[in-house]
Coordinates of all heavy atoms in Angstrom, one line a residue:
M23 N -3.5 -10.9 -2.5 CA -3.2 -12.0 -1.6 C -2.7 -11.5 -0.2 O -2.7 -12.2 0.8 CB -2.1 -13.0 -2.1 CG -0.8 -12.3 -2.5 SD 0.4 -13.5 -3.0 CE 1.6 -12.4 -3.7
C24 N -2.3 -10.2 -0.2 CA -1.8 -9.6 1.0 C -2.8 -8.5 1.6 O -3.3 -8.6 2.6 CB -0.4 -9.1 0.9 SG 0.7 -10.4 0.7
H25 N -3.0 -7.5 0.7 CA -3.9 -6.4 1.2 C -5.3 -6.7 1.0 O -6.2 -6.0 1.5 CB -3.5 -5.1 0.3 CG -2.2 -4.6 0.7 ND1 -1.9 -3.8 1.8 CD2 -0.9 -4.8 0.2 CE1 -0.7 -3.5 1.9 NE2 0.0 -4.1 0.9
G26 N -5.6 -7.9 0.4 CA -7.0 -8.3 0.2 C -7.7 -7.7 -0.9 O -7.4 -6.6 -1.4
E27 N -8.9 -8.4 -1.3 CA -9.8 -8.0 -2.4 C -10.1 -6.5 -2.2 O -10.2 -5.7 -3.2 CB -11.0 -8.9 -2.5 CG -10.8 -10.3 -3.0 CD -10.5 -10.3 -4.5 OE1 -11.0 -9.4 -5.2 OE2 -9.7 -11.1 -5.0
K28 N -10.6 -6.2 -1.0 CA -11.1 -4.8 -0.7 C -10.0 -3.9 -0.3 O -10.3 -2.7 0.1 CB -12.2 -5.0 0.4 CG -13.4 -5.8 0.1 CD -14.5 -5.6 1.1 CE -15.3 -6.8 1.3 NZ -14.7 -7.7 2.3
G29 N -8.8 -4.4 -0.2 CA -7.7 -3.4 0.3 C -7.8 -3.3 1.8 O -7.1 -2.3 2.3
D30 N -8.5 -4.2 2.5 CA -8.6 -4.0 4.0 C -7.4 -4.7 4.7 O -7.6 -4.9 5.9 CB -10.0 -4.4 4.4 CG -10.2 -5.9 4.0 OD1 -9.3 -6.5 3.5 OD2 -11.4 -6.4 4.2
G31 N -6.5 -5.2 4.0 CA -5.3 -5.8 4.7 C -5.6 -7.4 5.1 O -4.8 -8.0 5.7
K32 N -6.8 -7.8 4.7 CA -7.2 -9.1 5.2 C -7.0 -10.2 4.0 O -7.9 -11.1 3.8 CB -8.7 -9.1 5.7 CG -8.8 -8.2 6.9 CD -10.1 -8.6 7.6 CE -10.3 -7.7 8.8 NZ -11.0 -6.4 8.6
G33 N -6.0 -10.0 3.2 CA -5.7 -11.0 2.1 C -5.3 -12.4 2.8 O -4.9 -12.4 4.0
M34 N -5.4 -13.4 2.0 CA -5.1 -14.8 2.5 C -3.7 -14.8 3.2 O -3.6 -15.4 4.2 CB -5.0 -15.8 1.2 CG -5.7 -17.0 1.3 SD -5.5 -17.9 -0.3 CE -4.0 -17.0 -1.0
M35 N -2.7 -14.3 2.5 CA -1.4 -14.3 3.1 C -1.2 -13.3 4.2 O -0.5 -13.4 5.2 CB -0.2 -14.0 2.1 CG 0.3 -15.1 1.3 SD 1.5 -14.7 0.2 CE 2.8 -14.0 1.2
G36 N -2.0 -12.2 4.1 CA -1.8 -11.2 5.1 C -2.0 -11.5 6.5 O -1.2 -11.0 7.4
A37 N -2.8 -12.5 6.8 CA -3.0 -13.0 8.2 C -1.8 -13.5 8.9 O -1.6 -13.4 10.0 CB -4.1 -14.1 8.2
A38 N -0.8 -14.0 8.0 CA 0.4 -14.6 8.6 C 1.5 -13.6 8.7 O 2.5 -13.9 9.2 CB 0.9 -15.8 7.6
L39 N 1.3 -12.4 8.2 CA 2.4 -11.4 8.2 C 2.3 -10.5 9.4 O 1.3 -10.0 9.9 CB 2.3 -10.5 7.0 CG 2.5 -11.2 5.7 CD1 2.3 -10.4 4.4 CD2 4.0 -11.8 5.6
V40 N 3.5 -10.2 10.0 CA 3.6 -9.2 11.2 C 4.7 -8.2 10.7 O 5.8 -8.7 10.5 CB 4.0 -10.0 12.4 CG1 4.2 -8.9 13.6 CG2 3.0 -11.1 12.8
P41 N 4.5 -6.9 10.6 CA 3.1 -6.3 10.7 C 2.3 -6.8 9.6 O 2.7 -7.2 8.5 CB 3.4 -4.8 10.8 CG 4.7 -4.7 9.8 CD 5.5 -5.9 10.2
S42 N 1.0 -6.6 9.8 CA 0.0 -7.0 8.7 C 0.0 -5.9 7.7 O 0.4 -4.8 7.9 CB -1.4 -7.1 9.4 OG -1.7 -5.9 10.0
P43 N -0.4 -6.3 6.4 CA -0.4 -5.4 5.3 C -1.4 -4.3 5.7 O -2.4 -4.4 6.3 CB -1.0 -6.3 4.2 CG -0.7 -7.7 4.6 CD -0.7 -7.8 6.0
R44 N -1.0 -3.1 5.2 CA -1.7 -1.9 5.5 C -3.1 -2.1 5.0 O -3.5 -2.6 4.1 CB -1.1 -0.7 4.7 CG -1.7 0.7 4.9 CD -1.6 1.1 6.2 NE -0.3 1.5 6.6 CZ 0.2 1.6 7.8 NH1 -0.6 1.4 8.8 NH2 1.3 2.0 8.2
N45 N -4.1 -1.6 5.9 CA -5.5 -1.6 5.6 C -5.8 -0.2 5.0 O -5.9 0.8 5.6 CB -6.4 -1.7 6.9 CG -7.8 -1.5 6.8 OD1 -8.3 -1.2 5.6 ND2 -8.6 -1.5 7.8
F46 N -6.0 -0.2 3.7 CA -6.2 0.9 2.8 C -7.5 1.5 3.0 O -7.8 2.7 2.6 CB -5.9 0.8 1.4 CG -4.5 0.3 1.1 CD1 -4.3 -0.8 0.2 CD2 -3.4 0.9 1.7 CE1 -3.0 -1.3 -0.1 CE2 -2.1 0.4 1.3 CZ -1.9 -0.6 0.5
T47 N -8.5 0.8 3.6 CA -9.9 1.3 3.7 C -10.1 2.1 5.0 O -11.1 2.7 5.2 CB -10.9 0.1 3.7 OG1 -10.7 -0.6 5.1 CG2 -10.7 -0.9 2.6
C48 N -9.0 2.1 5.9 CA -9.2 2.8 7.1 C -8.8 4.3 6.9 O -7.6 4.7 6.9 CB -8.4 2.3 8.2 SG -8.3 3.2 9.8
N49 N -9.8 5.3 6.7 CA -9.4 6.6 6.4 C -8.7 7.3 7.6 O -7.8 8.1 7.4 CB -10.8 7.4 6.2 CG -10.4 8.8 5.5 OD1 -9.5 8.9 4.7 ND2 -11.1 9.7 6.0
A50 N -9.1 6.9 8.9 CA -8.5 7.4 10.0 C -6.9 7.2 10.0 O -6.2 8.2 10.4 CB -9.1 6.8 11.3
M51 N -6.5 6.2 9.5 CA -5.1 5.8 9.4 C -4.5 6.5 8.2 O -3.5 7.1 8.2 CB -4.9 4.3 9.4 CG -3.5 3.9 9.1 SD -2.4 4.1 10.5 CE -2.9 2.8 11.5
M52 N -5.2 6.2 7.0 CA -4.6 6.6 5.7 C -4.6 8.1 5.5 O -3.6 8.6 4.8 CB -5.5 6.0 4.6 CG -5.4 4.5 4.5 SD -3.7 3.9 4.2 CE -3.4 4.6 2.5
K53 N -5.4 8.9 6.2 CA -5.3 10.3 5.9 C -4.1 11.0 6.5 O -3.6 12.0 6.0 CB -6.6 11.1 6.5 CG -6.6 11.0 8.0 CD -7.9 11.8 8.5 CE -8.1 11.8 10.0 NZ -7.0 11.6 10.8
D54 N -3.5 10.2 7.4 CA -2.2 10.8 8.0 C -0.9 10.2 7.3 O 0.1 10.7 7.7 CB -2.1 10.6 9.5 CG -3.3 11.2 10.2 OD1 -3.7 12.3 9.7 OD2 -3.7 10.7 11.3
I55 N -1.1 9.4 6.3 CA 0.1 8.9 5.6 C 0.3 9.8 4.3 O -0.5 9.7 3.4 CB -0.1 7.4 5.2 CG1 -0.3 6.6 6.5 CG2 1.1 6.9 4.5 CD1 -0.4 5.1 6.3
P56 N 1.4 10.5 4.2 CA 1.6 11.3 3.0 C 1.8 10.4 1.7 O 2.3 9.3 1.8 CB 2.9 12.0 3.4 CG 3.5 11.4 4.6 CD 2.5 10.5 5.2
D57 N 1.5 11.0 0.6 CA 1.7 10.3 -0.7 C 3.1 9.9 -0.9 O 3.3 8.8 -1.4 CB 1.3 11.3 -1.9 CG -0.3 11.6 -2.0 OD1 -1.0 10.7 -1.3 OD2 -0.6 12.5 -2.6
G58 N 4.0 10.7 -0.4 CA 5.4 10.4 -0.6 C 5.8 9.1 0.1 O 6.6 8.3 -0.4
Q59 N 5.1 8.8 1.3 CA 5.4 7.6 2.0 C 4.9 6.4 1.2 O 5.6 5.4 1.1 CB 4.9 7.7 3.4 CG 5.0 6.4 4.2 CD 4.6 6.4 5.7 OE1 4.7 7.5 6.2 NE2 4.0 5.4 6.2
L60 N 3.7 6.6 0.7 CA 3.1 5.5 -0.1 C 4.0 5.2 -1.3 O 4.3 4.0 -1.7 CB 1.7 5.8 -0.6 CG 0.7 6.1 0.6 CD1 -0.7 6.5 0.0 CD2 0.5 5.0 1.6
F61 N 4.4 6.3 -2.0 CA 5.3 6.1 -3.2 C 6.6 5.3 -2.8 O 6.9 4.4 -3.5 CB 5.6 7.6 -3.8 CG 6.3 7.5 -5.1 CD1 5.7 7.5 -6.3 CD2 7.7 7.3 -5.2 CE1 6.4 7.5 -7.5 CE2 8.4 7.2 -6.3 CZ 7.7 7.3 -7.6
W62 N 7.2 5.8 -1.7 CA 8.5 5.3 -1.3 C 8.3 3.7 -1.0 O 9.0 2.9 -1.4 CB 9.0 6.0 0.0 CG 10.3 5.4 0.5 CD1 10.5 4.4 1.4 CD2 11.6 5.8 0.2 NE1 11.8 4.2 1.6 CE2 12.5 5.1 0.9 CE3 12.1 6.8 -0.7 CZ2 13.9 5.2 0.8 CZ3 13.4 7.0 -0.8 CH2 14.3 6.2 -0.1
I63 N 7.3 3.4 -0.3 CA 7.0 2.0 0.2 C 6.7 1.1 -1.0 O 7.3 0.0 -1.1 CB 5.9 1.9 1.2 CG1 6.3 2.8 2.5 CG2 5.6 0.5 1.5 CD1 6.4 2.0 3.7
I64 N 6.0 1.6 -2.0 CA 5.7 0.7 -3.2 C 7.0 0.6 -4.0 O 7.4 -0.6 -4.3 CB 4.7 1.5 -4.0 CG1 3.3 1.4 -3.3 CG2 4.5 0.6 -5.3 CD1 2.2 2.3 -3.9
K65 N 7.8 1.6 -4.1 CA 9.0 1.5 -4.9 C 10.1 0.7 -4.2 O 10.7 -0.1 -4.7 CB 9.6 2.9 -5.2 CG 9.0 3.6 -6.3 CD 9.6 3.3 -7.7 CE 9.1 4.0 -8.8 NZ 9.8 3.7 -10.1
K66 N 10.2 1.0 -2.9 CA 11.4 0.4 -2.1 C 11.0 -0.8 -1.2 O 11.9 -1.4 -0.7 CB 12.0 1.5 -1.2 CG 12.3 2.8 -2.0 CD 13.7 2.8 -2.6 CE 14.0 4.1 -3.2 NZ 15.3 4.0 -3.9
G67 N 9.7 -0.9 -1.0 CA 9.3 -2.0 0.0 C 9.4 -1.5 1.4 O 9.9 -0.4 1.5
S68 N 9.1 -2.3 2.4 CA 9.2 -1.9 3.8 C 10.1 -2.9 4.5 O 9.6 -4.0 4.8 CB 7.8 -1.8 4.4 OG 7.9 -1.4 5.8
P69 N 11.4 -2.6 4.6 CA 12.4 -3.6 5.2 C 11.8 -4.2 6.5 O 11.2 -3.5 7.3 CB 13.6 -2.7 5.5 CG 13.5 -1.6 4.5 CD 12.0 -1.3 4.4
G70 N 12.1 -5.5 6.6 CA 11.7 -6.2 7.8 C 10.2 -6.6 7.8 O 9.7 -7.1 8.8
T71 N 9.5 -6.3 6.7 CA 8.0 -6.7 6.6 C 7.8 -7.4 5.4 O 8.8 -7.5 4.5 CB 7.1 -5.4 6.6 OG1 7.2 -4.9 5.3 CG2 7.6 -4.4 7.6
G72 N 6.7 -8.0 5.2 CA 6.3 -8.7 4.0 C 6.2 -7.9 2.7 O 6.1 -8.3 1.6
M73 N 6.3 -6.6 2.9 CA 6.1 -5.6 1.7 C 7.3 -5.6 0.9 O 8.3 -5.0 1.4 CB 5.7 -4.3 2.2 CG 5.4 -3.2 1.2 SD 4.1 -3.7 0.0 CE 4.3 -2.5 -1.2
M74 N 7.3 -6.1 -0.3 CA 8.5 -6.1 -1.1 C 8.4 -4.9 -2.0 O 7.5 -4.2 -2.1 CB 8.4 -7.4 -2.1 CG 7.4 -7.3 -3.2 SD 5.8 -7.6 -2.6 CE 5.9 -9.4 -2.6
S75 N 9.6 -4.6 -2.6 CA 9.7 -3.4 -3.5 C 9.2 -3.8 -4.9 O 9.4 -4.9 -5.3 CB 11.3 -3.1 -3.6 OG 11.6 -3.0 -5.0
F76 N 8.4 -2.8 -5.5 CA 7.9 -3.0 -6.9 C 8.8 -1.9 -7.6 O 8.2 -1.1 -8.4 CB 6.4 -2.7 -6.9 CG 5.7 -3.8 -6.2 CD1 5.4 -3.8 -4.8 CD2 5.2 -4.9 -7.0 CE1 4.7 -4.8 -4.3 CE2 4.5 -5.9 -6.4 CZ 4.2 -5.9 -5.1
S77 N 10.1 -2.1 -7.6 CA 10.9 -1.1 -8.2 C 10.8 -1.1 -9.7 O 11.1 -0.1 -10.4 CB 12.4 -1.4 -7.9 OG 12.7 -2.7 -8.2
G78 N 10.2 -2.2 -10.2 CA 10.0 -2.3 -11.7 C 9.0 -1.4 -12.2 O 8.8 -1.3 -13.4
L79 N 8.1 -0.9 -11.3 CA 6.9 -0.2 -11.8 C 7.4 1.2 -12.1 O 8.1 1.8 -11.4 CB 5.9 -0.1 -10.6 CG 5.1 -1.4 -10.4 CD1 4.1 -1.1 -9.2 CD2 4.2 -1.8 -11.6
S80 N 6.9 1.8 -13.1 CA 7.2 3.2 -13.5 C 6.7 4.2 -12.5 O 5.6 3.8 -11.8 CB 6.7 3.5 -15.0 OG 5.3 3.6 -14.9
D81 N 7.2 5.4 -12.4 CA 6.6 6.4 -11.4 C 5.2 6.6 -11.8 O 4.4 6.7 -10.9 CB 7.5 7.6 -11.6 CG 8.9 7.5 -11.0 OD1 9.2 6.3 -10.6 OD2 9.6 8.5 -10.9
D82 N 4.8 6.8 -13.1 CA 3.5 7.0 -13.4 C 2.5 5.9 -12.9 O 1.5 6.1 -12.3 CB 3.3 7.0 -14.9 CG 3.6 8.4 -15.4 OD1 4.0 9.3 -14.7 OD2 3.6 8.6 -16.7
K83 N 2.9 4.6 -13.1 CA 2.1 3.5 -12.6 C 2.0 3.5 -11.1 O 0.9 3.3 -10.5 CB 2.9 2.2 -13.0 CG 2.6 1.8 -14.5 CD 1.3 0.9 -14.6 CE 1.1 0.6 -16.1 NZ 0.2 1.8 -16.7
V84 N 3.1 3.8 -10.4 CA 3.0 3.9 -8.9 C 2.0 5.1 -8.5 O 1.2 4.9 -7.6 CB 4.4 4.2 -8.3 CG1 4.3 4.4 -6.8 CG2 5.3 3.0 -8.6
W85 N 2.0 6.2 -9.2 CA 1.1 7.3 -8.8 C -0.4 6.8 -9.1 O -1.2 7.1 -8.4 CB 1.4 8.6 -9.6 CG 2.7 9.4 -9.0 CD1 3.8 9.6 -9.6 CD2 2.7 9.7 -7.7 NE1 4.7 10.3 -8.7 CE2 4.0 10.4 -7.4 CE3 1.9 9.7 -6.5 CZ2 4.5 10.9 -6.2 CZ3 2.3 10.4 -5.4 CH2 3.6 10.9 -5.2
Q86 N -0.5 6.1 -10.2 CA -1.9 5.6 -10.5 C -2.3 4.7 -9.4 O -3.5 4.7 -8.9 CB -1.9 4.8 -11.9 CG -1.8 5.8 -13.1 CD -1.4 5.0 -14.4 OE1 -1.5 3.8 -14.3 NE2 -1.3 5.6 -15.5
L87 N -1.4 3.8 -8.9 CA -1.7 2.9 -7.8 C -2.1 3.7 -6.5 O -3.0 3.3 -5.9 CB -0.5 2.0 -7.4 CG -0.4 0.7 -8.2 CD1 0.9 0.1 -8.0 CD2 -1.5 -0.3 -7.8
I88 N -1.4 4.8 -6.3 CA -1.7 5.5 -5.1 C -3.0 6.2 -5.2 O -3.8 6.2 -4.3 CB -0.5 6.7 -4.9 CG1 0.7 6.0 -4.4 CG2 -1.0 7.7 -3.9 CD1 2.0 6.8 -4.6
H89 N -3.4 6.7 -6.4 CA -4.8 7.2 -6.6 C -5.8 6.2 -6.3 O -6.8 6.4 -5.6 CB -4.9 7.8 -8.0 CG -4.3 9.1 -8.2 ND1 -5.0 10.3 -7.7 CD2 -3.2 9.5 -8.8 CE1 -4.2 11.3 -8.0 NE2 -3.1 11.0 -8.7
Y90 N -5.6 5.0 -6.8 CA -6.4 3.8 -6.6 C -6.5 3.5 -5.1 O -7.6 3.4 -4.6 CB -6.0 2.6 -7.3 CG -6.8 1.3 -7.1 CD1 -8.1 1.2 -7.3 CD2 -6.1 0.3 -6.3 CE1 -8.9 0.1 -7.0 CE2 -6.8 -0.9 -6.0 CZ -8.2 -0.9 -6.3 OH -9.0 -2.0 -5.9
I91 N -5.3 3.4 -4.4 CA -5.3 3.0 -3.0 C -6.2 4.2 -2.2 O -7.0 3.8 -1.4 CB -3.9 3.0 -2.5 CG1 -3.2 1.6 -2.9 CG2 -3.8 3.1 -1.0 CD1 -1.7 1.6 -2.7
R92 N -6.0 5.4 -2.6 CA -6.7 6.5 -1.9 C -8.2 6.4 -2.1 O -8.9 6.8 -1.2 CB -6.2 7.9 -2.3 CG -4.8 8.2 -2.0 CD -4.7 8.7 -0.7 NE -3.3 9.3 -0.4 CZ -2.8 9.3 0.8 NH1 -3.4 8.6 1.9 NH2 -1.6 9.8 1.1
S93 N -8.6 5.8 -3.1 CA -10.0 5.7 -3.5 C -10.7 4.7 -2.6 O -11.8 4.5 -2.4 CB -10.3 5.3 -4.9 OG -10.0 4.0 -5.1
L94 N -9.9 3.8 -1.9 CA -10.4 2.7 -1.1 C -10.7 3.2 0.3 O -11.5 2.6 1.0 CB -9.4 1.6 -1.0 CG -9.0 1.0 -2.3 CD1 -7.9 0.0 -2.1 CD2 -10.1 0.2 -2.9
A95 N -10.1 4.4 0.7 CA -10.3 4.8 2.1 C -11.7 5.4 2.3 O -12.2 6.3 1.5 CB -9.3 5.9 2.5
R96 N -12.5 5.0 3.3 CA -13.9 5.4 3.5 C -13.9 6.0 4.8 O -13.2 5.5 5.7 CB -14.8 4.2 3.5 CG -15.3 3.8 2.1 CD -16.4 2.7 2.2 NE -15.8 1.4 2.7 CZ -15.0 0.6 1.9 NH1 -14.9 0.9 0.6 NH2 -14.6 -0.5 2.4
Ligands
HEM128 C1 1.3 -3.7 -6.2 C2 1.0 -4.3 -5.0 C3 1.1 -3.7 -3.7 C4 1.0 -2.4 -3.4 C5 0.6 -1.2 -4.3 C6 1.2 -2.2 -2.0 C7 1.2 -1.0 -1.4 C8 1.6 -0.8 0.0 C9 1.6 0.4 0.7 C10 1.5 1.7 0.0 C11 2.1 0.2 1.9 C12 2.6 1.2 2.9 C13 1.6 1.9 3.7 C14 2.3 2.8 4.7 O1 2.9 3.8 4.3 O2 2.3 2.4 5.8 C15 2.1 -1.3 2.1 C16 2.4 -1.8 3.3 C17 2.5 -3.2 3.4 N1 2.4 -4.1 2.4 FE1 2.0 -3.8 0.5 N2 1.5 -3.4 -1.5 C18 1.4 -4.4 -2.5 C19 1.7 -5.7 -2.4 C20 2.0 -6.3 -1.3 C21 2.2 -7.7 -1.1 C22 2.1 -8.7 -2.3 C23 2.4 -8.1 0.2 C24 2.7 -9.3 0.9 C25 3.5 -10.3 0.4 C26 2.3 -6.8 0.9 C27 2.5 -6.6 2.3 C28 2.6 -5.4 2.9 C29 2.9 -5.2 4.4 C30 3.2 -6.3 5.3 C31 2.8 -3.9 4.7 C32 3.1 -3.2 6.0 C33 4.5 -2.6 6.0 C34 4.7 -1.7 7.2 O3 4.0 -1.7 8.1 O4 5.7 -1.0 7.1 N3 2.1 -5.8 0.1 N4 1.9 -1.9 0.9

């Protein structure tokens, strides 16, 4: 609903969010974001933005998500 079906940040709710949800398909942007930042943001959220914390996810699940997110960058 936020990052969109394709992970391009164009989810239904995403349009109303400032800043907008990260576009995971943009390799130019994603290649400069370290894994540690992705891990931190998923676990802790991004204060002041629509990105909430998914602190309930185990570390393994978050790393699996990061591998999936990285597979979206073209
Ligand atoms: C399990 C589900 C989700 C995952 C794995 C996820 C993952 C991420 C990641 C890794 C980033 C940060 C990228 C960076 O370092 O800049 C991010 C940013 C963001 N996400 Fe999500 N997200 C999820 C769900 C959502 C939902 C449901 C919303 C909206 C309610 C949302 C809104 C945002 C926004 C607005 C940002 C940009 C924050 C900023 O620029 O600092 N995300 N998300």
Side-chain angles (χ1 to χ4, degrees):
M23 62 174 166
C24 293
H25 291 278
E27 287 287 331
K28 300 194 212 82
D30 56 7
K32 299 199 177 90
M34 227 182 18
M35 268 181 67
L39 293 172
V40 179
S42 54
R44 179 66 70 200
N45 170 6
F46 300 134
T47 67
C48 172
N49 192 42
M51 169 76 76
M52 290 301 293
K53 69 177 176 22
D54 297 331
I55 300 179
D57 287 344
Q59 178 173 326
L60 299 179
F61 187 94
W62 180 272
I63 299 242
I64 295 169
K65 277 275 188 176
K66 310 274 183 183
S68 184
T71 78
M73 180 59 189
M74 72 282 278
S75 126
F76 289 88
S77 54
L79 289 175
S80 69
D81 290 4
D82 277 358
K83 280 270 174 269
V84 176
W85 284 119
Q86 287 169 3
L87 271 168
I88 291 168
H89 280 289
Y90 170 66
I91 287 171
R92 291 280 189 212
S93 74
L94 300 172
R96 272 186 296 278

